[in-house]
Amino acid sequence: MHIVTEEETARGGLRERKKRATRAALTEAAVRLAAEHGVDKVTVEAISAAAGVSVRTFFNYFESRDDAFLLLDADAAARVRHAVLAAPAGLSPLEAVRDGVAAELVGVEQQHELWTLQADVLHAAPHLLVRSLGAHMADETRLAEAIAERLTADPGSPGRPSPDTGEPPRTVGLYPRLVAAIASTAVRVSVEHWCSRQEEAAFADVFREVFELLAAGLPTPPGPGTLS
């Protein structure tokens, strides 16, 4: 039996970080080129050159040129699902989702400009916008499935972290679907609100308050309105 050493674990972590960095560099190059020249004028060769990799490397990460425009981190949704399944049993499903998403949004303040460019690119290319919306809907469905799996885990268990295995989708009830949809909306509202008022609060504070309002059942604010 082979025992995995700390050195091997570190190497695996380093490889994963390098892969994520390469994917992010390719997507950033694609978005910036499209924002400057238009999607139709951007080639795989130009994206690869701007990111400093070969065309062969590009196709190790994306099946087609259009895929590079869609997500700044295509693995983020999968990591959130794993976090939901692995979260401590004492957390509610909404809290588990909150923490999983928060870990993925650590760099949102640094990524703001690039995300704005990506939104402009998608709205200028309807076929990409449709694909992006479809991808977000699919991610939301898979998140609901992870929440449902967490709810059916043995009492006292921290969850059942497992990779996406391609198994047939489980039957998902109303509650997991609602939590997933609400969480998606909360993230969007948090980002949009912070983008319009960056000088007033850090993104982490806005994000935390949005989820606190949700956890409290959205009580009517006593004064002018929270986050007004």
Side-chain angles (χ1 to χ4, degrees):
M1 180 178 67
H2 175 68
I3 298 176
V4 178
T5 65
E6 291 185 8
E7 181 181 354
E8 287 173 316
T9 300
R11 285 202 302 268
L14 178 61
R15 283 195 296 270
E16 182 61 27
R17 288 195 297 274
K18 286 183 175 179
K19 288 172 61 178
R20 289 170 63 177
T22 299
R23 190 183 196 106
L26 284 164
T27 301
E28 179 172 353
V31 169
R32 292 192 182 280
L33 287 170
E36 182 177 357
H37 304 290
V39 169
D40 292 340
K41 295 183 179 179
V42 178
T43 64
V44 170
E45 289 76 11
I47 295 171
S48 302
V53 301
S54 67
V55 171
R56 180 177 180 179
T57 297
F58 176 94
F59 285 110
N60 286 337
Y61 291 89
F62 304 103
E63 292 185 3
S64 70
R65 183 207 64 158
D66 284 359
D67 290 339
F69 301 113
L70 297 183
L71 294 174
L72 296 180
D73 187 347
D75 297 325
R79 290 194 295 271
V80 170
R81 294 193 296 273
H82 283 250
V84 167
L85 291 172
L91 294 183
S92 70
L94 183 63
E95 290 171 330
V97 173
R98 176 202 62 196
D99 291 353
V101 172
E104 297 301 323
L105 294 178
V106 169
V108 68
E109 295 182 358
Q110 291 72 37
Q111 293 291 322
H112 165 241
E113 183 248 351
L114 188 59
W115 287 6
T116 300
L117 284 180
Q118 187 199 34
D120 292 340
V121 167
L122 294 180
H123 281 88
H127 71 289
L128 291 180
L129 181 59
V130 170
R131 286 190 60 187
S132 178
L133 292 174
H136 282 299
M137 291 176 65
D139 285 339
E140 186 177 300
T141 296
R142 287 191 287 268
L143 177 58
E145 293 171 1
I147 294 169
E149 181 173 348
R150 178 179 175 82
L151 289 169
T152 57
D154 293 335
S157 167
R160 294 195 295 267
S162 59
D164 296 320
T165 59
E167 295 177 356
R170 64 175 59 242
T171 300
V172 178
L174 178 62
Y175 179 82
R177 292 169 61 90
L178 185 58
V179 171
I182 287 174
S184 296
T185 300
V187 172
R188 177 178 57 80
V189 170
S190 299
V191 172
E192 290 177 353
H193 183 87
W194 175 79
C195 284
S196 65
R197 307 186 183 193
Q198 297 178 44
E199 70 285 351
E200 296 180 8
F203 173 76
D205 294 334
V206 175
F207 181 85
R208 182 173 56 253
E209 186 160 2
V210 167
F211 274 85
E212 286 175 352
L213 288 169
L214 286 176
L218 289 178
T220 302
T226 306
L227 293 179
S228 60

